[in-house]
């Protein structure tokens, strides 16, 4: 038996020992008997409450209801309830009291009690209880009562609780739009008054109702920013007491940043310039610790603001002069020195003189020289590439030449140590790769010549070759160059011995450069919409496999490298090796809190790639499920009371917002849907309808579901202008609001058509129950159809789905319409032939398209690679063919069963469905059934293909080409480079074994999937 | 490059650079939020230009519960470093040190006697790091960790309880020499 989340309340001291003991021991029957007796003799309703609380601990439904009924009566009575009675009843009811019910019953009772007893020590407990049920209306009332009661006591927290709760209410869905306005005005007024109290008094004492602590002022800034006008905020920021500069002197950096960010959102560049300048001066004068002002962000905003100033020359001059003063400070730590060095670089890029116009033909502009200076100091740091990347991408072509052909070679010459040379060389390789992704290295060639479209519409300005985007020639030479340096390291035992002392093993960078370049050469491109072909269809498989092999080889040497692991896990998912991808993913140990942002990197779409993974000993989604259950078990944000108790008002606002976002997480929806799909695939029982889960409780069509995937640990060598690396690596578009909603709705549809009343369910009044069921089904179908259609037709949706997903959701949406039409047309009624035919033919067209994608063999068999490879790397399509076909079959079965039931209920046959509707669904069923058989056959064929021998040679041939010279000259060079790094064909044998084994495991899993 | 500021819960979605490193433990959400709720100024982060968190420190201010007052292991008012971590790419730039100094300043401002922390006895880098900033070993907690970070055959590992005295401890009463030899059981630390 559960005692609720909180301990049993203590009974009043006046209660006799016998009853106390029975209550403490949980002897509920004894408690009921004794309490009843006491009530009869003493007439004290408290004993009635004890009896009800005890009854609620028994396992009957009626007993449980008594507590709710007692609470309702208290609400109606309008009298001030007894505190201990409230405690008892709340405890008795808390496990089955919805939050909304609380807000209508116990919340207002608590507020009523506090109004009558504001100074009681239990008042705060009442507030806490309201917050536990996230009843903001009652909580705000209680806080306001407390504030009034303690207004002159010096206990400031009541005042700020009241203000904070008024603010939370003003932005909460618990509040009507009209009340939101009222509360917004109220909270602004309260804080303005408090601010004025501070401004107007010499020294604020704790008992004054002014702003004193950082958290109080932070609340003031936040509320003014959210509810006040821009003009008011700006004028209040001028204050010499509460303004950001004054606060910075107290070391209150957060306020400084809030003001700075606000100015930036309004493009108030002059204000940003002034604020940064004064703040940095404070740092120089020692009036505030450098810690408070020396962030790179401050420098960057300062330089940017200066460049936007009317007199930018003077302004930028000031930036530089302050920078120089900081450089002269002896106390700078390495971090500040680095920030300052970057700030110098940034300032060079903010200078208005356009590059090229400086007359410097060599491209050795101040910007290039500054990059050189920076790299000279920091080339061996892990972050060197990321630090300069955006700057390099901004250079003009002449500057690029200056950097790559003069500055860096010279720097290389000056490095006498072998180890430094190697590190610098691998950095140069990364920069060369970066430049292949930057458009300034290409010039347009007429894209149409002699009326023919050119397949190489550009000329590469670095190597002069005609090219498409990116320049393949440059990519190939990056590969060979990187492979050479790699070999140089491997062959040099002295170098190998010093590597552990480096920030990072340079071989990792070199392998990443090779891998990325070869992937680009293979033709791998982002698949960011529903028209993109399956992952490897338009890719040169040989090059793709080489890239994977190089990276995999490196992972064996440096298994601790996170970026390599992340990259490879994605690549193996593309290749159809989900079980191997999982082996690579697992050591990253993504668990607990970081799952929400990182799990999608592996688990998104996983049930469509490899359902077999769900049959492992460890339930695949369990860690995610328990994370969300632990973090969101009550509607109150986790730990919020701690923040109230500590007066951390800004934390309260942030935690509330975070909680609201976590409830709307795409990852959460993904974890539920993936698990349900897998459960269905293996014929398991789905315990709860998706719409009834506590975790989806507050999600409706208007909810924005948020994607928070963290790609921060990917090594992204791409130009900031183009798509980041992760877009090349995913099966399809990333998680999104659109996809989350569609998957949620489709699951609701499946819940509806799979719903079976319990076998022993005999409704009391069968015909009434049947009318109700009908109404419910029609209503649900029509709602689902509306919502699905709405989401499918959003302009942003095509960019959120793969092509198979788009078909699936389209078909499900049409099916909901078809089923609704069929169910609502009895045989006695005219049949809406036209409507139905439009719907079913749309289903056919969509389904046929998907079917064609599934069956079409690759048009040109590339590099002799047979269809098996393409099929293995495209189980996603197969999966959606199956899902779609089954949705069609189950819809037809649902309609048929409905008809059978109607026939059984009403022998006259009047309420049975129109035969044409039944026939149309039957036809869809037949079509789907045929396809399901094909899917089964396809899986069987894959199984057989993998069972045949000769995979080692086959794979090696696919990877390296069947015979020397069988590839184009350029690809031949790449192949040689790869062979060198991985140790030739022999070096690849173990890898082939793993890949083939993983395919086998995947197909084995598919063999277990239910096809009906 | 780095910016320093107070932690915000949204930062948890940007923790990968720190938390995918095996030396950094990942906790349940409530644990992070508890620190943010109770000691927001002692939970500071360093972020890079893309908003990735490249370092953070989590700390608290407390003393042992009153009922331990008469125990020899009673801890008076002090600051405790619960976690400090810097992403591999941002190490040796002084970020860890700045985060720690910031917490020490808060400890002084709150009149704490000392700052203390636990570290695995084999985490030599971290021990070096703390020593470089004036921390010393106060005691060894035998088998404090239920696993061993580098030797899978062992089922536990000792912790060093390291301390640095703050301004309030003028007479340096809260540190000792050769603290390494002063061994206590995990049940003695709270
Ligand atoms: C320990 C850790 C936080 C240090 O962070 P950091 O930002 O690299 O440290 P700093 O740059 O501020 O170093 C300050 C001083 O500590 C010492 N130090 C830091 N790392 C060191 C190392 N690996 N070896 C030797 N001394 C080291 C040095 O004296 C250094 O000063 P110096 O660079 O001028 O010589 C970081 O290595 C880390 O996150 N490790 C993994 C997580 C961890 O172990 N946390 C501690 C758990 S209790």
């Amino acid at each position: 038996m559960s005692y609720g989340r909180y301990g049993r309340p203590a009974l009043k001291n006046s209660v006799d020992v016998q009853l106390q003991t029975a209550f403490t021991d949980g002897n509920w029957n004894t408690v009921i008997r004794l309490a009843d007796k006491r009530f009869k003799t003493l007439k004290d309703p408290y004993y009635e409450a004890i009896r009800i609380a005890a009854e609620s601990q028994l396992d009957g439904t009626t007993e449980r209801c008594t507590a709710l009924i007692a609470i309702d009566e208290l609400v109606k009575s309008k009298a001030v309830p007894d505190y201990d009675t409230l405690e008892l009843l709340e405890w008795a009811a808390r496990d089955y009291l919805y939050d909304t019910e609380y807000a209508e019953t116990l919340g207002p009772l608590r507020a009523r009690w506090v109004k009558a007893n504001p100074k009681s020590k239990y008042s705060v407990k009442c507030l806490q209880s309201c917050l536990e049920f996230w009843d903001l209306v009652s909580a705000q009332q209680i806080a306001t009562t407390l504030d009034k009661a303690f207004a002159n006591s010096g206990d400031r927290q009541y005042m700020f609780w009241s203000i904070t709760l008024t603010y939370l209410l003003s932005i909460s869905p618990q509040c009507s739009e009209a009340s939101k306005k009222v509360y917004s005005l109220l909270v602004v007024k309260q804080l303005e008054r408090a601010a004025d109290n501070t401004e107007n008094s010499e020294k604020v004492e704790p008992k004054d109702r002014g702003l004193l602590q950082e958290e109080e002022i932070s609340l003031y800034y936040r509320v003014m920013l959210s509810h006040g006008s821009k003009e008011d905020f700006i004028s209040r920021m001028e204050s010499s007491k509460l303004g950001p500069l004054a606060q910075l002197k107290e070391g209150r950096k957060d306020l400084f940043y809030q003001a700075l960010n606000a100015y930036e959102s309004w493009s108030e560049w002059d204000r940003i310039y002034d604020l940064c300048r004064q703040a940095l001066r404070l740092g120089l004068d020692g009036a505030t610790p450098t810690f408070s002002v020396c962030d790179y962000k401050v420098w960057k905003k300062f330089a940017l603001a200066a460049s936007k100033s009317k007199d930018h020359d003077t302004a930028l001059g000031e930036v530089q002069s302050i920078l120089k003063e900081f450089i002269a400070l002896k106390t700078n730590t390495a971090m500040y020195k680095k920030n300052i060095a970057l700030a110098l670089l940034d300032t060079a890029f903010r200078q208005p003189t356009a590059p090229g116009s400086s007359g410097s033909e060599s491209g050795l502009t101040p910007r290039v020289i500054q990059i050189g200076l920076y790299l000279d100091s920091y080339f061996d740091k892990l972050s060197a590439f990321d630090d300069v990347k955006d700057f390099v991408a901004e250079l003009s072509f002449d500057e690029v030449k200056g950097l790559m052909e003069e500055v860096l070679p010279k720097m290389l010459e000056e490095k006498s140590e072998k180890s430094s040379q190697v590190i610098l060389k691998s950095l140069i390789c990364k920069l060369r790769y970066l430049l292949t992704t930057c458009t300034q290295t290409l010039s347009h060639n007429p894209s149409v010549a002699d009326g023919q479209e050119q397949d190489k519409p550009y000329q590469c300005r670095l190597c002069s070759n005609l090219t498409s985007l990116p320049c393949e020639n440059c990519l190939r030479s990056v590969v060979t160059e990187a492979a050479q340096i790699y070999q140089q390291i491997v062959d040099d035992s002295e170098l190998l011995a010093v590597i552990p002392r480096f920030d990072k093993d340079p071989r990792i960078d070199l392998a990443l450069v090779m891998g990325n370049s070869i992937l680009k050469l293979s033709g791998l491109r982002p698949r960011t919409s529903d028209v993109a072909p399956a992952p490897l269809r338009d890719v040169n498989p040989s090059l793709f496999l080489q890239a994977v092999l190089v990276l995999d080889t490196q992972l064996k040497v440096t298994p601790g490298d996170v970026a390599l692991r992340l990259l490879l896990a994605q690549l193996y998912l593309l290749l159809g090796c989900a079980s191997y991808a999982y082996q690579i993913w697992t050591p990253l140990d993504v668990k607990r809190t970081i799952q929400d942002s990182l799990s999608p990197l592996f688990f998104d779409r996983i049930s469509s790639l490899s359902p077999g993974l769900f049959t492992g000993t460890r339930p695949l989604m369990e860690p995610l499920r328990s994370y969300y259950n632990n973090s969101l078990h009550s509607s109150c944000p986790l730990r919020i009371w701690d923040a109230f108790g500590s007066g951390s008002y800004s934390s309260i606002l942030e935690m509330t917002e975070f909680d609201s976002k976590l409830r709307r997480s795409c990852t959460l929806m993904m974890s539920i849907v993936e698990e349900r799909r897998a459960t269905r695939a293996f014929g398991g029982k789905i315990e709860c309808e998706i719409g009834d889960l506590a975790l989806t409780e507050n999600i409706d069509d208007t909810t924005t579901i948020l994607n928070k995937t963290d790609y921060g640990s990917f090594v992204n060598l791409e130009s900031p202008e183009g798509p980041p690396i992760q877009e090349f690596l995913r099966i399809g578009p990333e998680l999104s609001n659109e996809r989350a909603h569609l998957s949620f709705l489709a699951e609701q549809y499946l819940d509806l058509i799979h719903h079976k009343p319990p076998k022993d369910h005999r409704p009391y009044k069968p015909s009434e129950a049947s009318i109700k069921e009908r109404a419910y089904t029609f209503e649900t179908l029509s709602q689902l159809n509306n919502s699905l259609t709405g989401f499918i037709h959003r302009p942003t949706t095509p960019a959120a789905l793969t092509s198979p997903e788009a078909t699936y959701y389209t078909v499900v949406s049409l099916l909901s319409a078809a089923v609704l039409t069929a169910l609502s047309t009895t045989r006695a009624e005219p049949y809406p032939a036209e409507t139905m035919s439009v719907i079913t033919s749309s289903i056919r067209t969509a389904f046929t398209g998907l079917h064609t994608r599934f069956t079409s063999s690759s048009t040109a068999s590339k590099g002799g690679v047979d269809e098996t490879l393409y099929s293995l790397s495209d189980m996603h399509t197969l999966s959606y063919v199956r899902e779609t076909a089954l949705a069609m079959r189950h819809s037809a079965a649902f309609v048929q069963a409905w008809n059978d039931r109607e026939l059984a209920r009403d022998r006259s046959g009047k309420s049975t469905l129109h035969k044409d509707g039944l026939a149309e669904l039957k036809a869809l069923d037949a079509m789907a059934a045929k396809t399901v058989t094909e899917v089964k056959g396809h899986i069987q064929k894959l199984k057989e293909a993998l069972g045949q021998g000769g995979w080692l040679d086959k794979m090696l041939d696919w990877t390296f080409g069947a015979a020397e010279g069988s590839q184009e000259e350029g690809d031949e060079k790449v192949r040689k480079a790869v062979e060198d790094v991985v140790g030739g064909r022999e070096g690849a044998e173990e890898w082939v074994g793993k890949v083939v084994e993983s395919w086998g495991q995947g197909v084995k899993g598919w063999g277990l999937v239910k096809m009906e | 490059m780095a910016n320093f500021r107070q932690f915000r819960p949204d930062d948890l979605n940007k923790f990968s650079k720190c938390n995918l490193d095996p030396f950094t433990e990942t906790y349940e959400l409530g644990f992070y939020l508890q620190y943010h709720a109770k000691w927001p100024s002692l939970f500071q982060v360093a972020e890079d230009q893309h908003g990735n968190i490249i370092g953070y420190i989590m700390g608290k201010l407390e003393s042992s519960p009153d009922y331990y007052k008469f125990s020899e292991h009673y801890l008076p008012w002090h600051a405790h470093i619960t976690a400090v971590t810097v992403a591999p790419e941002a190490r040796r730039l002084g970020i860890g040190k700045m985060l720690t100094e910031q917490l020490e300043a808060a400890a002084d401002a709150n009149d704490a006697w000392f700052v203390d922390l636990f570290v695995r006895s084999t985490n030599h880098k971290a021990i070096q790091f703390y020593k470089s900033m004036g921390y010393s070993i106060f005691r060894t907690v035998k088998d404090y960790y239920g696993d061993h970070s580098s030797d899978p055959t062992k089922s536990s590992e000792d912790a060093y309880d390291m301390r640095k005295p703050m301004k309030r401890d003028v007479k340096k009463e809260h540190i000792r020499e050769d603290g390494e030899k002063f061994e206590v059981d995990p049940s003695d630390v709270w």
Side-chain angles (χ1 to χ4, degrees), chain A residues 555-761:
Chain A
L555 186 68
K556 270 192 276 172
V557 184
T558 47
D561 192 74
V562 168
L564 260 180
R565 247 177 220 289
L566 283 172
L567 179 59
L568 272 167
Q570 311 278 302
L571 289 172
Y572 281 117
L573 286 177
L574 280 181
L575 193 55
C577 301
S579 61
Y580 189 31
Y582 191 45
Q583 274 178 39
I584 289 183
W585 168 260
T586 308
L588 290 171
D589 201 18
V590 171
K591 62 180 177 193
R592 301 184 186 136
T593 305
I594 56 174
Q595 293 181 99
D596 190 46
S597 61
L598 292 173
S599 290
L601 297 178
F602 183 80
F603 293 102
D604 186 21
R605 300 193 166 98
I606 197 71
S607 69
S608 77
L609 303 177
S610 183
L613 283 185
F614 286 82
T615 58
T617 44
R618 178 173 159 225
L620 209 57
M621 293 291 162
E622 171 54 32
L624 268 163
R625 198 185 325 132
S626 72
Y627 172 64
Y628 291 118
N629 284 335
N630 288 341
S631 309
L632 301 173
H633 60 75
S634 107
S635 47
C636 162
L638 214 55
R639 295 283 178 183
I640 203 86
W641 185 248
D642 282 345
F644 273 90
S646 312
S648 309
Y649 310 114
S650 54
S651 303
I652 295 173
L653 307 193
E654 286 169 0
M655 289 159 78
T656 306
E657 198 189 334
F658 179 81
D659 177 83
S660 138
K661 287 188 192 159
L662 190 61
R663 286 173 204 277
R664 295 180 282 131
S665 155
C666 280
T667 312
L668 190 164
M669 188 58 82
M670 172 204 85
S671 67
I672 298 172
V673 172
E674 290 296 323
E675 184 157 51
R676 285 170 57 97
R677 286 183 177 155
T679 306
R680 267 201 310 277
F682 296 111
K685 188 168 161 18
I686 289 178
E687 298 295 338
C688 180
E689 299 199 348
I690 194 165
D692 291 341
L693 293 172
L695 290 175
T696 60
E697 196 175 25
N698 294 314
I699 293 185
D700 60 31
D701 289 357
T702 61
T703 315
T704 305
I705 308 182
L706 303 166
N707 172 25
K708 289 167 284 174
T709 309
D710 178 4
Y711 299 103
S713 287
F714 280 86
V715 167
N716 185 22
L717 305 175
E718 308 295 309
S719 148
E721 315 261 286
I725 185 70
Q726 62 267 17
E727 291 196 5
F728 290 79
L729 304 171
R730 276 192 308 256
I731 303 284
E734 65 182 331
L735 291 176
S736 58
N737 177 42
E738 291 81 356
R739 181 146 64 95
H741 274 290
L742 285 167
S743 65
F744 183 43
L745 292 165
E747 290 298 305
Q748 290 178 55
Y749 174 72
L750 295 181
D751 277 336
L752 181 78
I753 61 168
H754 287 153
H755 178 77
K756 289 196 185 76
K759 280 223 171 63
D760 50 359
H761 179 66

Side-chain angles (χ1 to χ4, degrees), chain B residues 21 23-24 84-86 90-97 118-119 123 125-126 128-130 132:
Chain B
D21 188 63
F23 278 109
T24 303
V84 56
T85 174
V86 174
R91 289 192 186 150
R92 294 312 283 271
L93 288 168
I95 293 182
K97 186 170 171 194
F118 295 113
V119 57
N123 192 351
K125 272 190 202 177
Q128 243 351 86
F129 163 71
Y130 291 122
S132 79

Side-chain angles (χ1 to χ4, degrees), chain A residues 214-215 253-254 257 291 294-298 333-336 338-339 342 381-383 386-387 390 503 562 566 588 590-594 596-598 627 630-631 638-639 642-643 646 648 650-651 654-655 657-658 661-662 708 710 712-713, chain B residues 1-22 25-34 36-41 44 47-50 52 88-95 97-99 101-102:
Chain A
E214 181 172 12
E215 285 290 326
K253 183 175 176 180
D254 239 38
Y257 270 145
F291 179 82
C294 252
D295 290 347
Y296 179 60
K297 194 156 74 178
V298 177
T333 63
M335 188 64 239
Y336 290 144
K338 193 172 163 208
N339 275 351
L342 278 168
K381 291 281 173 260
L382 245 175
S383 60
D386 262 346
D387 289 342
D390 289 7
D503 253 13
V562 168
L566 283 172
L588 290 171
V590 171
K591 62 180 177 193
R592 301 184 186 136
T593 305
I594 56 174
D596 190 46
S597 61
L598 292 173
Y627 172 64
N630 288 341
S631 309
L638 214 55
R639 295 283 178 183
D642 282 345
S646 312
S648 309
S650 54
S651 303
E654 286 169 0
M655 289 159 78
E657 198 189 334
F658 179 81
K661 287 188 192 159
L662 190 61
K708 289 167 284 174
D710 178 4
S713 287
Chain B
M1 67 182 77
N3 307 307
F4 291 86
R5 59 169 172 75
Q6 211 162 295
F7 165 86
R8 299 190 282 259
D10 277 347
D11 293 335
L12 294 169
N13 295 326
K14 293 277 184 186
F15 260 21
S16 72
K17 287 198 172 198
C18 289
N19 284 45
L20 289 180
D21 188 63
E25 183 56 278
T26 299
Y27 302 101
E28 289 293 352
L29 179 59
F31 192 72
Y32 297 109
L33 293 183
Q34 182 192 12
H36 177 56
K38 291 191 177 168
W39 305 279
S41 64
Q44 296 275 337
E47 65 174 359
D48 72 6
Q49 71 269 38
H50 307 295
N52 297 307
E89 68 186 38
R91 289 192 186 150
R92 294 312 283 271
L93 288 168
I95 293 182
K97 186 170 171 194
M98 284 194 308
L99 289 168
E101 282 172 352
Q102 198 274 143

